Amino acid sequence: MDTIFALASAQGKAGVAVIRLSGPHAHHAAATLTGGELSARGMKLCTLRDPSGSRLDDGLVLTFQAPASFTGEDVAELQIHGSTASVNAVLRCLSEADGLRLANPGEFTRRALENGKMDLTQVEGLADLIDAETEAQRKQAQTILAGKLGGLAERWRRDLIRAASLLEAVIDFADEEVPADVTPEVHDLVSGVMTDLKREAAGVKIAELIRTGFEVAIVGLPNAGKSTLLNALAGREAAITSEYAGTTRDVIEVRMDLGGLPVTLLDTAGLRDTQDYVENLGIELARKRAEAADLRVFLTESPKELGVPMQDGDIQVLPKADLRAESDGGISGKTGQGIDTLISQISYILGHRYTSHGIATRERHRVAIVKAVDALGSAMAVLESGPDLYDIAAEELRTAIRALESLVGRIDVETLLDEIFSSFCLGK
């Protein structure tokens, strides 16, 4: 096994830089730089020197002994001053040391996965946490990183193993002391898992939107103030504004944090009939993006005139409230009137949808869960036929278990045997 190293903190000038080493030679390499012995687990303030004895930097050296480390291997971390020159000098010395190489992207986390320190869902949670831009994304990533989905999957798997072991016991050990009719217990176990799985599958779409972001389209007639409103919401000149109709011809996107939720605002072309070919292309694109968006803000007095159907939860506001004698229910990107109310409405609507999601966050999760649900449905369908079809039901349960393996790891036949022997004392 190679010993790998890499800069674990961000590139560029900083107060502190962290260089991480992992593998069998990690402690020896760190000790060589410090010129002294290091404890198997601990922290020490040291002077780092190159092979010629020249001073590289002063810093803290942290050592972790396998398996009590992030990767499950011997790990050393060098916390030095974060100048580019200091970091490069230390990395150069490590690259010249025998048995060390620069880590590949994500290799530390991959080793943690391979050594059983994390499951696959936690790896995804860590990636999501690094990419998190909003509070909702941070909380969602922390839930996955903490192993909540992996814990659920493990409980589902354990229940299915129990159900399969009951059926296998009847099939293979009919002469032993096993329950005469295991169908009720198997039915309860499988139906409980199916209920949980269906709930998780239903919430994946919303959970994935929290991870990737909601889209909110601003739609209206030309010169309704859509681009001005977008700029006001974004707090910068993201879109060109003018008094001429048809200025916006492409969809302009601005990513924002609204109430802790990731939201991409879409400024679309003004919806109208026109003979301009290029503007027509922009209008058609605007309609498609508006219809596909998660929420629409209709900047108009009559949504019907726009040709985009309003859906449940969509918002209608009157445009250019600053030019109206009666401005109730209106909004103005120019003066800011109604902006806070609109932000609150968007945040409330999306936040309400946010509460309905589960823990599973990716399409990969949904596919595995749906596959497991299909297999469990098949098992339930044949279970009622009695012991003669227990072998088919057991195989369907094994299919469901294998589907769940893609979430957290793998399970082998020995686990089934262990459950059988421990529950029914069949090995005596």
Side-chain angles (χ1 to χ4, degrees):
M1 174 67 71
D2 293 337
T3 296
I4 57 175
F5 68 90
L7 178 65
S9 50
Q11 294 279 355
K13 184 169 63 176
V16 176
V18 178
I19 298 173
R20 177 182 289 170
L21 301 88
S22 180
H25 303 300
H27 290 181
H28 174 74
T32 300
L33 284 175
T34 62
E37 292 294 325
L38 295 173
S39 60
R41 183 177 183 86
M43 178 175 63
K44 185 177 182 181
L45 179 63
C46 304
T47 297
L48 278 60
R49 301 182 183 276
D50 65 17
S52 68
S54 297
R55 186 192 191 103
L56 295 172
D57 200 359
D58 294 329
L60 286 175
V61 179
L62 285 72
T63 50
F64 306 86
Q65 188 174 28
S69 70
F70 174 73
T71 62
E73 304 171 340
D74 285 345
V75 169
E77 289 189 356
L78 313 176
Q79 298 185 6
I80 62 175
H81 295 99
S83 74
T84 301
S86 296
V87 170
N88 288 341
V90 174
L91 291 177
R92 185 170 57 252
C93 286
L94 292 174
S95 66
E96 294 171 354
D98 292 336
L100 272 66
R101 66 169 175 83
L102 189 64
N104 294 320
E107 191 168 3
F108 287 97
T109 304
R110 179 163 185 165
R111 291 193 176 193
L113 174 66
E114 292 172 346
N115 293 325
K117 305 300 291 186
M118 307 175 74
D119 64 40
L120 189 55
T121 62
Q122 289 176 296
V123 171
E124 292 169 329
L126 178 58
D128 290 344
L129 182 61
I130 292 172
D131 292 336
E133 298 175 337
T134 69
E135 182 66 6
Q137 289 175 324
R138 182 192 69 79
K139 289 180 177 179
Q140 183 185 70
Q142 287 284 12
T143 298
I144 301 296
L145 182 57
K148 295 292 182 65
L149 181 56
L152 275 178
E154 186 60 32
R155 177 168 63 81
W156 297 330
R157 193 177 68 168
R158 187 168 57 247
D159 287 348
L160 295 182
I161 291 171
R162 169 66 180 174
S165 70
L166 288 167
L167 297 179
E168 295 282 2
V170 174
I171 296 169
D172 296 333
F173 303 97
D175 295 334
E176 302 292 337
E177 297 177 3
V178 297
D181 184 9
V182 300
T183 301
E185 183 176 353
V186 172
H187 184 279
D188 290 344
L189 289 167
V190 174
S191 61
V193 172
M194 283 187 69
T195 299
D196 288 349
L197 291 175
K198 288 178 179 179
R199 182 173 60 249
E200 284 300 323
V204 168
K205 182 178 180 181
I206 296 299
E208 194 166 26
L209 284 174
I210 295 169
R211 186 170 61 84
T212 60
F214 295 88
E215 283 195 348
V216 176
I218 304 173
V219 294
L221 294 172
N223 281 338
K226 299 183 299 300
S227 297
T228 303
L229 175 59
L230 177 77
N231 291 339
L233 291 169
R236 60 185 176 87
E237 295 295 320
I240 299 173
T241 61
S242 79
E243 71 275 16
Y244 298 106
T247 300
T248 302
R249 300 199 172 190
D250 201 356
V251 176
I252 298 173
E253 303 183 5
V254 175
R255 193 168 177 87
M256 297 179 61
D257 179 343
L258 287 184
L261 294 172
V263 174
T264 298
L265 291 173
L266 308 178
D267 177 22
T268 60
L271 304 180
R272 65 169 180 169
D273 294 326
T274 177
Q275 299 302 314
D276 188 308
Y277 175 75
V278 176
E279 187 181 353
N280 261 328
L281 292 177
I283 291 171
E284 182 61 26
L285 177 61
R287 285 198 172 97
K288 289 181 179 179
R289 289 297 298 273
E291 290 174 359
D294 303 296
L295 179 66
R296 283 146 293 278
V297 176
F298 286 83
L299 206 58
T300 180
E301 296 183 10
S302 176
K304 292 182 179 180
E305 65 184 345
L306 301 179
V308 176
M310 286 194 71
Q311 301 177 22
D312 289 342
D314 285 349
I315 300 171
Q316 178 191 356
V317 290
L318 300 177
K320 297 186 176 181
D322 54 300
L323 302 180
R324 294 173 176 272
E326 181 59 50
S327 61
D328 289 345
I331 195 168
S332 171
K334 187 174 182 179
T335 65
Q337 179 180 339
I339 295 290
D340 290 342
T341 301
L342 178 61
I343 291 176
S344 297
Q345 284 181 287
I346 295 173
S347 299
Y348 175 80
I349 293 169
L350 296 182
H352 180 69
R353 297 178 185 177
Y354 164 50
T355 60
S356 65
H357 79 94
I359 297 178
T361 60
R362 296 172 181 257
E363 178 64 13
R364 181 186 75 81
H365 302 163
R366 191 194 67 80
V367 169
I369 289 171
V370 168
K371 185 177 180 180
V373 169
D374 289 344
L376 294 181
S378 299
M380 293 284 278
V382 300
L383 188 63
E384 302 301 330
S385 298
D388 289 344
L389 295 181
Y390 275 2
D391 55 339
I392 298 177
E395 181 58 34
E396 293 294 348
L397 292 181
R398 285 192 289 268
T399 299
I401 291 170
R402 286 192 294 269
L404 294 178
E405 287 175 6
S406 62
L407 292 178
V408 292
R410 71 178 181 84
I411 182 173
D412 57 29
V413 69
E414 292 300 320
T415 311
L416 277 176
L417 294 177
D418 289 345
E419 174 67 19
I420 292 171
F421 290 136
S422 64
S423 298
F424 302 106
C425 300
L426 301 176
K428 60 183 180 181

